[in-house]
Amino acid sequence: MRDDANDAPQTVTGSPMYEFDPNETYKEIVYRDTWKTHRPPAYFEYRQLWDEVPRLRKELDFPIHLDIETTNICNLKCPMCPRTMLIERDEFSPLGMMTRDEFASIIDQGVAHGVKSVKLNYLGEPLAHQDAVWQVAYAKQKGVLDVMMNTNASLLRPAKAIELLEAGLDNLFVSFDAISPDLFEDRRVGTSIGRVIDNVYAFVKVRNERFPHVQVRLSMVMYDDPKWREQFEGMKIMWKHLVDAIGYGFYTERDPDAQGDFPEVPGFWCAQPFQRMFLKYNGNVTICCVDDKDETVVGNWREHPLATIWNGDAYRSIRRLHAEGHYYDMPMCRKCYLPANG
Ligand SMILES: C[S@@+](CC[C@H](N)C(=O)[O-])C[C@H]1O[C@@H](n2cnc3c(N)ncnc32)[C@H](O)[C@@H]1O
Ligand code: SF4
């Protein structure tokens, strides 16, 4: 429970009022945070901003963070992934990779406006881009404080691990769904558990030797089923002496035919439109992590400057709707699991 009196939960017509928590849908066990002792003071200021801006529903001139879909290509075909579902329905965007000029322009604009962090993926596998190491190095050389990626780690061969660490990658978030080879390979179609274990092990070894400021976290997609709880228990034993944290997020329904509206949660507002901006490979700029189908497009980063999009009428009115407690006026937000999981 928050100790700030202004944030104390209130009651509206008998139902509990939403209490803001930016990390509510992700459960995590932290084994060590020694990497934090190697981060500069600016890192902690940025993390404070990350929490404070959405909590106080502050309007910034530019997002704190950019999610950059450097490529929408992936080497795997995970059945739970919205990308896989959209490809099977023939509804996914044309595949491709950002050019170096496009990536540099995004980073240059971000840095000019004081962006603090970037994540180098949305849908797609960031290490499928041949420029992944160059992208990390470019962002770090330009002064981005925190550079991260989610990866299936199947392409993270030991040589690539060293290159990424030397380029300056700050956080590696590995998707790792099971300890049983059959279950793992059923979820992560196109790779093997042994290959991914070897890759993560090699990365952690070099991290421990030379890059202690780097965070390594593993996460699985969880299902409401004892079988998957058991896998997570196994993950804890398997990884707790190797990685910094292990977490899970529940499977969220991404099949458009199976999605429906959740009941309204009084008082809810979403953190993401206040913190971050999503740049899809196809050019679309979207407002949150769940919009895999580009339902709420607020601009095109190939056509307009990022600051113009962030400060445009479309983005501003969405932030206002959320800030004033009207998130449910947005059809996309009605279908979102985040309010209901608070
Ligand atoms: C779409 S992937 C893209 C990055 C990279 N290819 C990877 O697999 O980590 C980003 C994250 O979304 C998770 N994910 C995929 N489908 C999901 C679903 N239906 N519900 C919840 N998480 C999902 C993946 O496990 C991964 O951690
Ligand atoms: S590796 Fe990531 S992007 Fe690729 S199919 Fe699996 S979850 Fe989706």
Side-chain angles (χ1 to χ4, degrees):
M1 184 71 67
R2 224 173 267 288
D3 58 8
D4 182 337
N6 292 327
D7 283 333
Q10 302 153 20
T11 301
V12 175
T13 59
S15 49
M17 190 77 171
Y18 169 73
E19 188 183 4
F20 181 77
D21 174 357
N23 299 314
E24 62 207 350
T25 57
Y26 186 72
K27 310 285 178 238
E28 187 175 54
I29 300 171
V30 176
Y31 291 111
R32 63 195 63 77
D33 59 5
T34 42
W35 58 272
K36 282 190 184 170
T37 64
H38 300 273
R39 294 288 177 105
Y43 170 79
F44 299 96
E45 287 159 22
Y46 132 67
R47 292 313 297 174
Q48 196 180 334
L49 204 64
W50 182 254
D51 186 35
E52 198 174 279
V53 163
R55 188 160 55 81
L56 302 177
R57 288 164 274 188
K58 279 189 190 166
E59 276 271 351
L60 297 177
D61 294 338
F62 198 81
I64 303 167
H65 170 94
L66 295 174
D67 291 89
I68 309 171
E69 190 176 60
T70 55
T71 179
N72 59 359
I73 291 171
C74 185
N75 59 320
L76 304 188
K77 257 193 151 185
C78 310
M80 72 294 190
C81 179
R83 179 184 182 280
T84 309
M85 292 179 196
L86 289 169
I87 284 180
E88 278 167 4
R89 296 167 64 100
D90 211 12
E91 290 173 7
F92 198 60
S93 303
L95 302 182
M97 299 188 186
M98 277 186 189
T99 65
R100 288 191 178 196
D101 283 350
E102 287 172 338
F103 184 82
S105 164
I106 289 169
I107 295 296
D108 293 351
Q109 292 180 63
V111 170
H113 290 281
V115 82
K116 306 292 181 209
S117 58
V118 296
K119 193 187 251 191
L120 304 184
N121 65 278
Y122 181 65
L123 296 185
E125 169 51 42
L127 297 180
H129 199 308
Q130 74 269 8
D131 288 341
V133 172
W134 178 87
Q135 289 160 350
V136 172
Y138 189 87
K140 289 307 289 180
Q141 280 159 18
K142 292 288 171 170
V144 179
L145 201 52
D146 214 22
V147 177
M148 60 194 85
M149 64 174 66
N150 283 86
T151 173
N152 62 44
S154 60
L155 302 173
L156 185 68
R157 301 311 283 165
K160 178 78 74 173
I162 294 171
E163 285 174 3
L164 284 168
L165 285 161
E166 289 180 341
L169 186 70
D170 296 292
N171 305 282
L172 185 78
F173 304 139
V174 178
S175 303
F176 193 92
D177 290 311
I179 55 160
S180 306
D182 51 342
L183 283 177
F184 183 97
E185 286 156 30
D186 176 66
R187 298 287 87 190
R188 295 280 152 186
V189 175
T191 190
S192 70
I193 192 169
R195 181 181 169 99
V196 175
I197 292 171
D198 283 355
N199 290 351
V200 178
Y201 178 82
F203 185 95
V204 171
K205 191 165 184 295
V206 182
R207 186 283 300 261
N208 291 351
E209 289 163 1
R210 295 173 51 203
F211 302 95
H213 68 284
V214 175
Q215 179 189 193
V216 183
R217 198 165 84 188
L218 241 68
S219 73
M220 74 176 273
V221 177
M222 178 62 83
Y223 303 83
D224 191 11
D225 178 337
K227 176 175 86 173
W228 291 100
R229 295 272 175 196
E230 195 182 56
Q231 291 297 309
F232 188 67
E233 291 309 308
M235 293 244 299
K236 292 198 290 202
I237 294 164
M238 181 173 178
W239 289 105
K240 72 177 175 188
H241 296 296
L242 277 168
V243 300
D244 302 315
I246 301 179
Y248 62 81
F250 268 94
Y251 169 77
T252 57
E253 186 54 73
R254 300 300 183 96
D255 179 344
D257 295 332
Q259 280 181 323
D261 288 358
F262 286 95
E264 185 173 5
V265 176
F268 174 83
W269 74 96
C270 182
Q272 299 190 36
F274 297 87
Q275 294 166 321
R276 59 206 280 194
M277 179 150 90
F278 292 76
L279 313 178
K280 305 281 185 77
Y281 167 71
N282 65 12
N284 287 337
V285 177
T286 54
I287 65 156
C288 82
C289 67
V290 299
D291 192 6
D292 42 63
K293 291 175 262 320
D294 294 4
E295 286 177 64
T296 306
V297 175
V298 287
N300 186 310
W301 58 264
R302 286 199 176 91
E303 292 168 7
H304 296 107
L306 301 184
T308 305
I309 298 171
W310 177 258
N311 293 300
D313 289 345
Y315 227 138
R316 276 185 183 282
S317 64
I318 289 167
R319 282 195 289 272
R320 199 173 317 117
L321 274 182
H322 276 260
E324 293 173 356
H326 302 303
Y327 85 92
Y328 211 67
D329 290 357
M330 292 180 62
M332 182 182 85
C333 299
R334 279 188 222 167
K335 283 185 287 177
C336 177
Y337 62 92
L338 286 168
N341 279 267

